[in-house]
Amino acid sequence: MSTSQVRRGHVANLPVWDRCAVMGVVNVTPDSFSDGGRWFDTTAAIKHGLDLVSQGADLVDVGGESTRPGATRVDEDEELRRVIPVVRGLSSEGVTVSVDTMRASVAEQSLAAGASLVNDVSGGLSDPQMVPVVAASGAPFVVMHWRGLLEGTNVPGTYQDVVSEVVNELHARVEAAIEGGIAPDRIVLDPGLGFSKNAEHDLSLLAHLDRLHALGHPVLVAASRKRFLGHVLAGEQGAPPPARERDAATAAVSALAAQAGAWAVRVHEVRATADAVRVARAVEGAQ
């Protein structure tokens, strides 16, 4: 077994994959940064989720609230209206569903509707009831690095050593989740690329995923279409390409993350990443 396979690990109560898993994104929102409004209708969102599975997604992440910089939070009833029918529809088709939410009530009702995983970009900080709800359910929990809601168009976040600070802050959130009753083998870490971080920060975190692995939990990398990829593609003087033109770059990150031992990558465009992680696994197997 290779070093990256050992690092990758698996998450209790979820399928076990012999490679980096692919998490497809279904944004049931009118204002997400890369595809807002495309899957806002429940029927379209369910169809899109099934299409992602047919293209190679192992699980599907359903969210009803945009977390792009400057986004206005939706109220609880609206988030529930957007998310629950899609979670129910996909899970009834046998899809492994993750719910992307910062609200404990949405997590709880999504789990009751068939979701298998809670993906909280605040790592349990936004809603004090989140950790107790997840703990009571026995569901796996994605703990993302988060320093608060993004406001305006600028990305806040000052770091002396971004890797050490993200690792330390994630460790603190993991300890809080465990103390709150979530079993260690149900915790996944996410470095929070693009959240209170600039391109240099994001690239440093990707270059040092081994530091996250050292915390002893599977790692989810969510780089898809993000601003730092636009920065890389634009170069020093160029204009960054639109979000939907960053899928090849996303697949490149997926291959690198898989090679580095990531448990899963979260992406909008699945097919290229599904190919990328399978090639990474084939190379890994040839070592």
Side-chain angles (χ1 to χ4, degrees), residues 1-5 7 259-260 279-287:
M1 184 176 291
S2 71
T3 302
S4 62
Q5 283 175 285
R7 286 201 304 261
Q259 186 178 43
V279 170
R281 175 65 184 91
V283 173
E284 187 180 273
Q287 292 175 346

Side-chain angles (χ1 to χ4, degrees), residues 32 41 63-64 66 71 132 160 176 183 193 206 208 244 254 260 271 278:
S32 291
D41 172 75
S66 174
Q160 296 299 314
L193 302 178
L206 284 172
H208 295 92
R244 289 186 213 169
S254 296
R271 195 178 302 280
R278 283 164 173 79

Side-chain angles (χ1 to χ4, degrees), residues 33 67-69 144-151 153-157 159 162 166 190-203 205-206 222-229:
F33 79 98
T67 53
R68 66 177 174 78
M144 197 192 83
H145 177 262
W146 190 73
R147 284 188 170 180
L149 294 170
L150 305 183
E151 297 177 357
T153 58
N154 296 318
V155 179
Y159 303 87
V162 67
V166 167
D190 179 341
L193 302 178
F195 285 80
S196 301
K197 300 170 187 73
N198 62 27
E200 182 180 346
H201 297 147
D202 291 336
L203 291 168
L205 288 164
L206 284 172
S224 185
R225 297 179 174 174
K226 287 191 174 175
R227 181 173 25 221
F228 81 95
L229 294 176

Side-chain angles (χ1 to χ4, degrees), residues 25 104 238:
V25 178

Side-chain angles (χ1 to χ4, degrees), residues 24-86:
V25 178
V26 174
N27 288 319
V28 194
T29 60
D31 58 347
S32 291
F33 79 98
S34 71
D35 57 2
R38 297 189 74 191
W39 323 115
F40 194 39
D41 172 75
T42 296
T43 301
I46 293 171
K47 181 181 183 302
H48 182 53
L50 295 173
D51 288 344
L52 293 179
V53 172
S54 72
Q55 292 161 19
D58 300 295
L59 61 168
V60 172
D61 193 41
V62 177
E65 181 174 29
S66 174
T67 53
R68 66 177 174 78
T72 301
R73 293 208 68 185
V74 300
D75 63 35
E76 178 182 353
D77 288 344
E78 176 62 14
E79 188 180 359
L80 286 166
R81 187 194 68 76
R82 295 176 182 182
V83 167
I84 301 304
V86 180

